[in-house]
Amino acid sequence: SSGINAEWPLRPGGASRQECHEKLRVLSQEAGRVVKEEGQANDMLDRISRDDYFQPIHDQLSQIVDPKLFIGRCPQQVEKFIEEEVYPVIKKEKSTDCDSALIPLL
């Protein structure tokens, strides 16, 4: 899997989802090969930015793959967990120094 949602605006000019997915699959396999066989960094985004098929979205690529778009409610869930689970344990241990507090893992 490419890790990039083919439903996103990667489909240039109204191209079919299937066609876009196939292009991403091929680029992903090529990028994966470079990582696995050559030990190089993953260059998937570079491959997309060099591929003429994706030219209509090249200037939007950094926005399309913004990690904030893929985390959903994670920030709110972490805040809730800290408020409801972590802070009460710290309070119970009567310590504000997290380095010295013995906090049991839940």
Side-chain angles (χ1 to χ4, degrees):
S1 171
S2 67
I4 297 175
N5 187 343
E7 291 295 327
W8 281 65
L10 284 174
R11 297 187 307 180
S16 77
R17 179 183 180 278
Q18 186 174 359
E19 179 183 13
C20 181
H21 188 270
E22 178 62 16
K23 295 276 189 182
L24 289 172
R25 186 187 69 77
V26 170
L27 292 177
S28 178
Q29 288 180 336
E30 292 170 356
R33 185 191 57 72
V34 168
V35 170
K36 294 172 190 169
E37 294 177 12
E38 300 174 18
Q40 301 295 318
N42 187 323
D43 64 352
M44 179 68 174
L45 294 179
D46 291 336
R47 289 174 185 278
I48 293 172
S49 67
R50 291 190 309 260
D51 192 304
D52 289 339
Y53 175 82
F54 293 105
Q55 194 282 324
I57 57 92
H58 284 169
D59 61 339
Q60 303 165 35
L61 194 55
S62 63
Q63 295 145 347
I64 292 170
V65 298
D66 182 346
K68 293 176 193 165
L69 299 174
F70 300 91
I71 61 172
R73 293 191 58 249
C74 187
Q76 294 86 2
Q77 291 170 329
V78 169
E79 288 175 10
K80 181 179 179 182
F81 177 79
I82 290 172
E83 287 289 329
E84 294 178 3
E85 303 293 335
V86 176
Y87 285 161
V89 172
I90 292 173
K91 227 179 205 181
K92 182 179 172 188
E93 297 297 326
K94 297 182 181 177
S95 173
T96 56
D97 181 6
C98 290
D99 290 333
S100 64
L102 296 174
I103 302 172
L105 297 176
L106 303 175

